[in-house]
């Protein structure tokens, strides 16, 4: 049996034995990966030193923490969610995951928890430190997929940072981990035990259910649907500032957008009037924006969605995400109402066929896997319902570093918005819906785009949203992307009336 892992430096390391986990007991042939995990393993091998697939969640804690209790809570968290202690290796050329059984975490949380004293740091500096915690590469072959760091400015003022690799987690999982860690800490600090509802399923159950589906007749039906939807479609794109490099570097940055409160109200009202969700409305107008930018009248976007549909999966930590390929077609004279209705139909149809893993679709249709062939999509678009998250941390206001404080599990908490998951695609748009607002993180590949280009794109998106909510029957191609003030400045530039440097 040949087993191949990854050393800290990223080089292959054939040991002849399965990798040892945190308690040194992992052995045997391991477990299969989900199709999505296999794709992430492939990307990890391409760039083992890249943090592009690290997921970071950071909160400010304005209550003194019992560090010993926190360590025991971290240990209990890993025992509850065994994927946090998983190791990955190739056995006879096939990737496998070695997951410790529930409750088998090593004694104490010191393997996963680090305390750093950082007195005198500003909020901006603390955010920078939290970001740097999330940018340290993981070593999947060594069972290194999870870390918790407490950045302590004072006994009652710290940032708690949770980081996982995407191969064992997703956005929902990250919030589950924070919720369970805080609940576990509260019980242990009070002299008791974590007050957790028992889990009735595991991520390995999800992997097995996926295998059963792919061995069933339903696979053929799903493949036919996606083949019909995706054959002949081009990836949606916007003009780049620089030529695409031969090899993806995963270098990226983020531009943030917050819709004005009045526009957020109008979006909800327009979506309701159209009989669609706010997400479908925002998606349809975004597709209209790309139509105006690139001139493509038939293109595809990616839309990551949660796949927690099986029994007991709601509270399971793991990579429970699939990506829908959403096709957009714009006829001559298309209106915003047309675009929104089409986006709504495409979403519903795609969700009805969500069980077919996207990497298989990409492979079946000859998408790019480290080659020069065109992928099915280069731009992704999704939305997170921030108002449904637990703990219910308010979003960070525009221009601020940390969000408003709440009281939760006996602690005073506030959110940090740590930049992450940058450079995976040309552009990855994550909208966040709160009770009364919409914000967006536009994560872009800095090999291709300047920040000013993405800022201009978000401005045009907002402008088309304003037009769509004012009159959904308006033709998309009749809306100017330049407002009157910008038009006057451009005309003045052309006649020498305004200095280009101003």
């Amino acid at each position: 049996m040949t087993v191949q892992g990854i050393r800290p430096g990223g080089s292959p390391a054939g040991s002849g034995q399965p990798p040892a986990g945190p308690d040194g007991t992992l052995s045997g042939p391991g477990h299969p990966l989900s199709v999505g995990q296999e794709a992430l393993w492939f990307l990890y091998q391409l760039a083992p030193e890249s943090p592009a697939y690290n997921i970071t969640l950071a909160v400010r804690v304005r209550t003194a923490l019992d560090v010993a209790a926190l360590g025991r809570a971290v240990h209990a968290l890993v025992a509850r969610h065994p994927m946090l202690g998983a190791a990955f290796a190739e056995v006879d050329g096939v990737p496998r995951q070695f997951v410790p059984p529930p409750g088998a975490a090593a004694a104490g949380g010191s393997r996963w928890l680090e305390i750093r004293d950082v007195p005198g740091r500003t909020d901006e500096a603390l955010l920078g430190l939290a970001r740097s915690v999330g940018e340290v590469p993981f070593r999947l072959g060594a069972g290194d997929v999870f870390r918790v760091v407490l950045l302590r400015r004072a006994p009652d003022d710290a940032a708690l940072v949770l980081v996982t690799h995407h191969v064992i987690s997703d956005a929902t999982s990250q919030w589950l981990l924070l919720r369970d860690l805080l609940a576990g800490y509260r019980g242990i600090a009070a002299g008791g035990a974590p007050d957790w509802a028992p889990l009735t399923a595991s991520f390995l159950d999800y992997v097995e259910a996926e295998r059963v589906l792919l061995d069933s007749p339903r696979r053929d039906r799903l493949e036919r649907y996606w083949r019909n939807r995706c054959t002949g479609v081009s990836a949606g794109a916007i003009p780049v500032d620089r030529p695409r490099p031969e090899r993806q570097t995963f270098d990226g940055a983020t531009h943030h957008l917050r819709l004005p409160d009045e526009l957020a109200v109008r979006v909800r009202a327009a979506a309701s009037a159209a009989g669609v969700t706010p997400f479908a409305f925002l998606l349809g107008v975004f597709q209209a924006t790309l139509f105006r930018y690139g001139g493509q009248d038939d293109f595809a976007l990616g839309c990551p969605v949660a796949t927690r549909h099986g029994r007991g999966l709601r509270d399971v930590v793991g990579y429970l995400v699939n990506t829908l390929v959403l096709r957009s077609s714009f006829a001559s004279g298309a209106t915003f109402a047309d675009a929104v209705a089409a986006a709504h139909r495409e979403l519903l149809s795609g969700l009805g066929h969500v069980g077919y893993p996207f990497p298989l679709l990409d492979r079946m249709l000859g998408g790019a896997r480290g080659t020069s062939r065109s992928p099915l999509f280069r731009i992704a678009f999704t939305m997170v319902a921030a108002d449904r998250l637990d703990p219910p941390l308010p979003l960070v206001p525009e221009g601020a570093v940390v969000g408003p404080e709440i009281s939760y599990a006996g602690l005073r908490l506030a959110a940090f918005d740590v930049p992450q998951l940058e450079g995976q695609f040309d552009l990855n748009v994550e909208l966040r819906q709160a009770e009364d607002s919409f914000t967006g993180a536009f994560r872009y590949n800095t090999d291709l785009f300047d920040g000013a280009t993405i800022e201009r794109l978000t401005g045009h998106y907002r402008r088309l949203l304003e037009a769509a909510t004012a009159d959904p029957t308006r033709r998309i191609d009749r809306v100017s992307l330049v407002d009157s003030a910008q038009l006057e400045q451009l005309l003045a530039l052309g006649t020498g009336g305004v200095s280009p440097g101003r």
Side-chain angles (χ1 to χ4, degrees):
M1 176 184 293
T2 301
V3 179
Q4 189 177 82
I6 299 293
R7 293 188 188 279
S11 60
S15 66
Q17 297 293 331
D23 61 355
T25 61
L26 294 184
S27 61
H31 303 277
L33 278 62
S34 71
V35 176
Q37 283 183 304
E38 289 178 354
L40 288 170
W41 171 254
F42 172 82
L43 291 169
Y44 172 74
Q45 289 180 307
L46 284 179
E49 296 303 318
S50 171
Y53 289 89
N54 289 5
I55 308 177
T56 305
L57 180 59
V59 293
R60 184 177 181 180
V61 184
R62 294 298 304 274
T63 306
L65 292 174
D66 180 335
V67 172
L70 181 62
R72 292 196 294 274
V74 171
H75 160 243
L77 184 72
V78 178
R80 174 172 169 82
H81 298 290
M83 289 302 298
L84 300 178
F88 293 79
E90 291 191 357
V91 179
D92 297 331
V94 178
R96 307 286 287 182
Q97 52 190 332
F98 298 80
V99 184
S110 59
R111 172 181 170 85
W112 298 280
L113 174 64
E114 179 185 353
I115 310 296
R116 298 183 195 171
D117 288 311
V118 291
R121 303 299 178 98
T122 64
D123 284 349
E124 290 80 3
L126 198 60
L127 175 62
L129 289 173
R131 178 173 186 169
S132 68
V133 168
E135 290 177 340
V136 176
F138 284 112
R139 297 168 298 138
L140 273 57
D144 173 29
V145 293
F146 168 64
R147 73 176 69 102
V148 180
V149 177
L150 185 68
L151 302 169
R152 193 165 53 179
R153 286 195 293 199
D156 60 351
D157 185 3
L160 182 65
V161 188
L162 283 71
V163 191
T164 57
H165 193 281
H166 211 351
V167 76
I168 60 98
S169 186
D170 55 25
T172 300
S173 295
Q174 212 71 1
W175 286 91
L176 291 174
L177 291 174
L178 178 61
R179 182 201 69 184
D180 284 358
L181 177 60
L182 296 178
Y185 170 81
R186 177 175 55 188
I188 291 171
D195 183 19
W196 292 324
L199 298 175
T200 59
S202 72
F203 181 72
L204 295 179
D205 294 326
Y206 173 83
V207 177
E208 173 64 14
E210 181 185 78
R211 186 196 65 77
V212 170
L213 181 148
L214 294 177
D215 287 342
S216 74
R218 190 179 173 211
R219 173 176 182 153
D220 291 337
R221 296 194 295 272
L222 293 174
E223 283 186 347
R224 282 197 300 271
Y225 171 83
W226 287 113
R227 185 184 292 110
N228 290 337
R229 292 304 300 149
C230 298
T231 298
V233 69
S234 300
I238 58 177
V240 298
D241 296 316
R242 284 172 292 280
R244 189 178 303 278
E246 291 185 7
R247 186 180 181 88
Q248 186 174 0
T249 64
F250 301 100
D251 292 335
T254 302
H255 176 77
H256 293 280
L257 168 73
R258 179 187 172 98
L259 297 187
D261 292 345
E262 188 271 339
L263 180 55
V265 171
R266 286 167 53 190
V267 165
R268 285 189 168 88
S272 178
V276 304
T277 63
F279 176 60
F281 191 93
L282 292 162
L283 170 63
V285 177
F286 182 74
Q287 291 167 325
T289 306
L290 297 186
F291 166 61
R292 287 294 307 274
Y293 252 66
Q296 296 171 283
D297 58 11
D298 186 15
F299 59 87
L301 299 182
C303 180
V305 297
T307 52
R308 297 173 176 271
H309 310 308
R311 180 179 299 177
L313 291 177
R314 179 177 177 181
D315 293 324
V316 167
V317 167
Y319 181 66
L320 293 100
V321 174
N322 196 19
T323 300
L324 304 179
V325 180
L326 303 180
R327 190 165 184 169
S328 308
S329 298
F330 290 86
S332 176
T335 67
F336 289 108
D338 295 332
V340 167
H344 178 67
R345 291 192 301 268
E346 189 77 356
L347 272 171
L348 289 180
S349 183
L351 289 170
H353 300 82
V354 71
Y356 190 76
F358 168 75
L360 294 183
L361 172 66
D362 192 34
R363 218 174 297 161
M364 176 177 65
L365 297 179
R369 288 178 59 82
T371 73
S372 60
R373 291 177 291 174
S374 296
L376 286 172
F377 67 88
R378 296 186 184 277
I379 298 175
F381 190 92
T382 191
M383 187 162 75
V384 174
D387 52 349
R388 300 178 189 174
L389 298 175
D390 186 18
L393 293 170
L395 296 173
V396 178
E398 188 173 8
V401 174
V402 63
E405 284 188 5
I406 65 168
S407 179
Y408 182 88
L411 303 171
R412 292 167 58 200
L413 305 176
F416 275 115
D417 195 358
V418 181
Q420 57 189 298
L421 301 174
E422 298 170 332
Q424 294 180 2
F425 306 108
D426 288 10
L427 178 64
N428 185 1
V429 181
E430 180 185 280
L431 296 183
R432 302 166 189 175
Q433 175 180 254
E435 185 176 353
D436 57 357
S437 66
F438 293 104
T439 61
F442 286 67
R443 302 172 180 129
Y444 60 96
N445 189 319
T446 51
D447 290 331
L448 305 176
F449 301 111
D450 295 325
T453 299
I454 304 304
E455 182 177 3
R456 187 162 54 249
L457 172 71
T458 60
H460 292 153
Y461 178 44
R462 172 180 162 178
R463 184 165 180 78
L464 292 185
L465 280 171
E466 291 169 345
T469 54
D471 181 9
T473 65
R474 190 172 181 182
R475 283 180 53 163
I476 297 167
D477 59 6
R478 296 290 174 83
V479 179
S480 173
L481 296 181
V482 181
D483 62 29
S484 57
Q486 292 171 322
L487 181 59
E488 288 181 7
Q489 186 178 28
L490 289 171
L491 292 173
L493 280 170
T495 60
V498 175
S499 170
R502 295 180 63 185

